[in-house]
Amino acid sequence: MNRASAWAPSSDDLAILGLLAEGHTVASVARRTGLSERTVRRRLRALGDELGVDSTIETVVIAVRAGLI
């Protein structure tokens, strides 16, 4: 099953995932996006739940493989 086939993350979520894919930390992503670290972590958890994965790395990998970032 292609987990990303019906997945449509927001542009903000894609920005978060893109920065993580570049190697930024959650703290750095928060500073760069103007969000709190808590908000970044909450969004990552929600994305993982939506995809049925347990880690941020898995979420980023799915987004990369789907060509979203």
Side-chain angles (χ1 to χ4, degrees):
M1 175 179 109
N2 183 357
R3 289 181 177 152
S5 62
W7 188 41
S10 70
S11 59
D12 289 340
D13 291 336
L14 290 175
I16 290 169
L17 292 170
L19 289 168
L20 289 170
E22 292 174 5
H24 293 277
T25 64
V26 169
S28 174
V29 170
R31 282 191 306 273
R32 289 171 176 264
T33 59
L35 301 170
S36 70
E37 287 184 47
R38 183 177 179 180
T39 297
V40 171
R41 290 183 201 286
R42 186 174 37 92
R43 289 179 109 155
L44 290 169
R45 191 170 33 255
L47 289 169
D49 289 348
E50 189 176 335
L51 291 169
V53 298
D54 294 323
S55 75
T56 298
I57 291 173
E58 289 176 287
T59 305
V60 171
V61 167
I62 290 169
V64 169
R65 288 184 178 167
L68 298 173
I69 55 173

